[in-house]
Amino acid sequence: MLIGEVVKRTGFSRDTIRFYEKKGLLIVGRTDSEWNNYKDYDDQALRRLMLIKKCKGFGFTLNEIANILELVDEENATCNIVTARVENKLSEIDHKIEELIQLKKLIRERFTSLEKACGPNRKHKSNCVGLTNVSTF
C-alpha cells in the first residue's frame, strides 16, 4: 500500500512515517514498477507502525521504542519485560511530577517576592523593578 493509505490507517502524518524510516524504526521496500519508485508499505510495516503508536501511548521515547522493537524482533518482548518497562516509565513520571511540584513552589515564592518588590503601583513606565533588582531573589 502507498503512504497515503498508511496515513489513513495509522493516524500518523507522512512526515512522521518518513521520520520513523529515517530513524530505522521502520524499513520499507520499493514497488517494482518501471514508471515510479514508490515505497510499498506492507501489512508488516502497518503492524510495526501500530506497535510504535501503542508504545507512544505508554509515553516511551523513540529510543525506548527502538529498544522495545528490537526485543519484539528477537521475540524477547515478554510480558514481564514489557511490564517492567511500563512500571519504570510510571516511576519516571512520578519523579517528574514531584520535580514539577517543587518547581511550581519555587516559582510561586519568587512571584510573591516579585509582587512585593513591585509594590501596589505596578504601572511603572520603566522595567519591572521586581525583575531588574537582583536583590529581590
Side-chain angles (χ1 to χ4, degrees):
M1 75 189 87
L2 298 177
I3 195 167
E5 180 66 21
V6 176
V7 167
K8 287 179 193 173
R9 289 183 169 197
T10 64
F12 286 131
S13 69
R14 292 171 190 263
D15 290 339
T16 299
I17 293 168
R18 290 183 182 122
F19 178 75
Y20 292 156
E21 287 178 57
K22 188 176 181 180
K23 289 292 185 182
L25 299 177
L26 181 67
I27 299 170
V28 180
R30 299 269 180 190
T31 59
D32 293 328
S33 172
E34 60 187 67
W35 293 289
N36 62 49
N37 195 19
Y38 292 152
K39 292 181 180 176
D40 182 27
Y41 297 85
D42 59 12
D43 287 337
Q44 182 179 356
L46 184 62
R47 281 192 301 276
R48 193 161 182 97
L49 284 167
M50 295 309 288
L51 177 57
I52 291 170
K53 188 171 197 160
K54 188 175 278 192
C55 289
K56 285 177 58 85
F58 281 111
F60 291 118
T61 65
L62 286 184
N63 287 337
E64 291 167 333
I65 291 171
N67 186 266
I68 290 169
L69 290 174
E70 258 183 58
L71 291 172
V72 168
D73 292 344
E74 297 166 356
E75 296 191 20
N76 288 325
T78 65
C79 289
N80 286 341
I81 290 173
V82 173
T83 300
R85 302 276 169 104
V86 173
E87 287 173 347
N88 185 48
K89 182 55 70 176
L90 288 170
S91 293
E92 287 176 19
I93 291 169
D94 287 339
H95 180 72
K96 284 185 188 250
I97 289 171
E98 274 305 310
E99 287 178 341
L100 288 171
I101 289 170
Q102 294 305 316
L103 178 61
K104 182 178 178 181
K105 286 180 185 177
L106 177 64
I107 291 172
R108 192 171 306 278
E109 289 169 8
R110 288 185 176 172
F111 178 68
T112 301
S113 110
L114 178 79
E115 284 184 312
K116 286 179 185 175
C118 289
N121 183 10
R122 295 188 184 140
K123 295 184 180 183
H124 298 287
K125 292 188 178 182
S126 61
N127 290 334
C128 173
V129 294
L131 181 65
T132 57
N133 183 353
V134 292
S135 65
T136 60
F137 285 104

